[in-house]
Amino acid sequence: MFGMKKNYSIVAIFFMAAAAFCPRAFCATPSSEYPMLKIKPVRQKIWKGVPGMEQYSSRLDWYKPLSKSSDAAVIVCPGGSYHHLGMYHEGKDVALWLCSKGISAFVLKYRVSGNGFHHPAMLQDIQRAIQIVRENADHYGINAQKVGAAGFSAGGHLVLMAAEFSGQDELLKIGVEHSAPLGPNFIIPIYPVVSMQDPIAHVRSRKSLLGDDQSQERRDEFSMELHADRINCPVFLLANKDDRTVDWRNSDEMDKAMGRAGVSHIFILGEKGDHGFGMGNNDFVHTTKWNDQWLLPWLKEIGMTD
């Protein structure tokens, strides 16, 4: 099922009993699914020492595995409609799961509209994160050519932007000299915001990202399904048809666009599971074990872990 080939997509349909799913489970207290790890992250302000940017509090939280089985790294981008960030179930819990599999993780606290920021702040932050991780690969004990990004909801849109806009160097525009490629080596958008087009757009994310300029030109520019041909890395895409927050057709359109563009990807589409489950303490994660059953085999198939 997970054999990777160029120019292919797979849609896997899964079912779960409605009684097993609590639609608000993902709003519960942060999970402790991986308490045995007891990993304290090393925090780094990503704009420290950069003139004109030092005032921004964007940061990377580095979670170092206790036992490594991979030289890959994943930059984790929590969701929150580009307005706020779900730093626990879509950040810390994801990092701890990755560490439990021997994979280094970096949770990115990027700028959001709740603090007054719009594009290009978010893209600047993820490009800076990729630069830092790549340029310090020896320090982190990783392979600079195995740096991926996982994003949830609006964070899914952000990792898609990182892949599609890798040739759009926002760092040089603000005077940051670098030699590191800015595109991720693989991306994992989970129940992502994709399109800025009505009627399937997630309006709050669109407003938070674009600010006052909601022109059709801008909507086209930031609709990820319209630029799938720019993606040159493998993609793991997952969504549910009963998603009440981000219309599942966002992912469906992205799948179709990647298929047309010949992007190597897998698309897992569920009937039930809603939105926002992340890797938190909720029934969807416990029932499907999506990270262990689907994501981990894919990471092995693309050569990111043993």
Side-chain angles (χ1 to χ4, degrees):
M1 173 180 175
F2 289 96
M4 295 299 295
K5 299 178 181 178
K6 291 184 178 180
N7 307 333
Y8 100 113
S9 78
I10 294 176
V11 179
I13 306 295
F14 60 87
F15 299 90
M16 60 184 292
F21 175 64
C22 173
R24 298 195 181 278
F26 54 80
C27 297
T29 56
S31 85
S32 55
E33 283 292 283
Y34 318 103
M36 73 296 293
L37 297 179
K38 301 294 184 183
I39 298 174
K40 184 177 181 180
V42 178
R43 291 182 171 176
Q44 174 183 359
K45 290 188 176 180
I46 65 175
W47 297 111
K48 184 178 180 180
V50 179
M53 302 292 287
E54 288 184 301
Q55 71 271 29
Y56 301 135
S57 59
S58 308
R59 72 170 195 255
L60 273 176
D61 292 351
W62 173 32
Y63 289 80
K64 183 179 180 181
L66 299 178
S67 177
K68 290 187 64 178
S69 63
S70 170
D71 58 357
V74 179
I75 297 170
V76 182
C77 300
S81 305
Y82 279 129
H83 176 270
H84 55 277
L85 297 175
M87 292 292 288
Y88 287 96
H89 66 296
E90 295 174 347
K92 178 181 178 180
D93 286 346
V94 180
L96 290 179
W97 177 79
L98 288 163
C99 285
S100 76
K101 307 305 176 185
I103 303 171
S104 300
F106 300 81
V107 178
L108 176 61
K109 184 179 181 183
Y110 55 93
R111 286 170 286 171
V112 292
S113 69
N115 294 321
F117 298 101
H118 307 287
H119 178 77
M122 300 80 166
L123 186 56
Q124 289 173 342
D125 283 354
I126 194 168
Q127 288 190 344
R128 176 66 169 167
I130 292 170
Q131 177 210 355
I132 289 171
V133 172
R134 279 225 172 96
E135 290 184 349
N136 295 279
D138 289 343
H139 171 68
Y140 296 129
I142 63 166
N143 185 334
Q145 303 307 313
K146 293 184 178 182
V147 178
F152 299 78
S153 196
H157 185 274
L158 184 56
V159 302
L160 285 165
M161 276 208 298
E164 293 186 4
F165 294 174
S166 60
Q168 182 176 313
D169 195 329
E170 295 294 336
L171 301 184
L172 284 179
K173 292 179 183 179
I174 55 176
V176 178
E177 299 287 340
H178 66 92
S179 58
L182 297 179
N185 296 111
F186 58 94
I187 58 171
I188 306 166
I190 306 299
Y191 44 80
V193 172
V194 171
S195 185
M196 298 289 132
Q197 311 292 333
D198 294 326
I200 66 172
H202 186 245
V203 176
R204 190 182 192 192
S205 293
R206 183 173 68 192
K207 177 65 174 178
S208 295
L209 178 66
L210 302 183
D212 292 332
D213 186 353
Q214 301 282 313
S215 66
Q216 188 59 51
E217 181 180 7
R218 293 266 283 176
R219 295 184 187 194
D220 291 349
E221 180 182 357
F222 293 95
S223 290
M224 298 295 96
E225 76 278 16
L226 300 183
H227 314 292
D229 60 314
R230 300 177 186 174
I231 299 174
N232 58 10
C233 66
V235 181
F236 179 98
L237 175 63
L238 183 151
N240 291 309
K241 283 188 174 181
D242 67 341
D243 193 320
R244 294 173 297 173
T245 303
V246 175
D247 193 314
W248 71 275
R249 291 176 294 174
N250 277 257
S251 292
D252 189 51
E253 290 299 317
M254 194 68 220
D255 169 57
K256 292 174 182 177
M258 289 191 292
R260 290 191 296 268
V263 176
S264 179
H265 73 289
I266 183 170
F267 178 31
I268 298 177
L269 178 63
E271 292 292 325
K272 294 184 181 295
D274 204 358
H275 186 90
F277 46 83
M279 291 188 190
N281 187 15
N282 57 73
D283 285 334
F284 182 81
V285 174
H286 295 318
T287 302
T288 65
K289 300 188 185 301
W290 71 268
N291 42 354
D292 288 301
Q293 298 300 319
W294 304 323
L295 178 56
L296 186 60
W298 179 79
L299 288 170
K300 291 179 179 179
E301 285 289 340
I302 64 171
M304 294 300 147
T305 189
D306 296 334

